[in-house]
Amino acid sequence: MGLLDREFNESNIVIAKTEDLFNWARLSSIWQLSFGLACCAIEMMATSASHYDFDRFGVIPRPSPRQADAIIISGTVTLKMATRIKRLYEQMPDPKYIISMGSCSNCGGPYWEHGYHVLKGIDRVIPVDVYVPGCPPRPEALLEGLLKLQDKIRHETLRKKTA
Amino acid sequence: MTSEEIYNILQTKFGDKILGFESELPVESYIVADPMAIKDICLYLRNDENLKFDTLMCLSGVDDANGEKSKDEEDMDVITGGTLSVYYNLDSIELGHKINLKVSTPREDPKVESVESVWKCADWHEREVFDMFGTVFLNHPDLRRILMPEDWEAGYPLRKDYKNPEFYQGMKIPY
């Protein structure tokens, strides 16, 4: 797909598989729902800021679930919040992707035993594409998670959603 | 002014509404008061020229767990009798002194007078204590749960004999 620019310059005709074209478009501009929960959200903000620059992968925060492609669950999910996250997820249009960031949203983290108010893993409520381990994960880890998500999208087919 | 001096002032003013003074402690000393007189006591502490307690630094609930402990059929702790307490940490910014107050209420019927009308910040503190321990603050303007979901029916999570439910709105809670 790296040859697209040159193809346009030379003949104005591109021959590609629809799947490749769609996947390329989708993975290159993942708009994330601007949404943070706890300390992981601070790392997520650091990843978005100029030093790590999420935008070079086409990731920008979009403060509306109706126009977001991905949601990064960045932090402790309380039971009260879980009902809200589920609603936000349901408001997002397909195709939609979920990155679970940090131990808390992966499995409950430090609250796994005595956290009477904590959901032990966001995958009990919504389906997760990529889990990023860490407490909290460093921005590099979140970038790695995003690249993994892009990999998953790159190999999607139109017949069946895999990511 | 020291806690002991304040205790003596309160005792002459309120008599048997002041139940005691604990000072032989590894932590800060506190004055024990009647839960049904705590509003008048606090109002006096705030308004008196020599005391001027203008700040409620913190208001916390405590489950003393000093009742009779037993096990139910599922081997969970059950506590009957004993007390639930509320602690007040007061500070006078103007005069630079501070004291602690404590009120104890029976576990089966925990009722304390609200001090929301004395210090506005007590509003959310008291709601939190209600949320976590079930202590009812009389004459509170808006006594609802503040942290837990409003439809939480499993009781008060910071009580020592609290039992967490299996499910909340279809979501499994235990690990």
Side-chain angles (χ1 to χ4, degrees), chain A residues 79-80 82-84 107-108 112-113 115-120 124-125, chain B residues 132 146-149 152 157-158 162 164 168-169 171-175:
Chain A
L79 294 165
K80 202 173 177 181
T83 55
R84 274 77 165 168
C107 63
W112 71 276
E113 191 173 11
Y116 56 87
H117 60 304
V118 176
L119 185 71
K120 313 296 186 301
R124 291 187 181 186
V125 180
Chain B
M132 294 291 135
I146 188 170
L147 295 168
M148 299 299 285
W152 191 256
L158 289 194
Y162 172 73
N164 217 22
Y168 168 70
Q169 290 201 3
M171 293 178 283
K172 187 166 168 268
I173 300 176
Y175 182 72

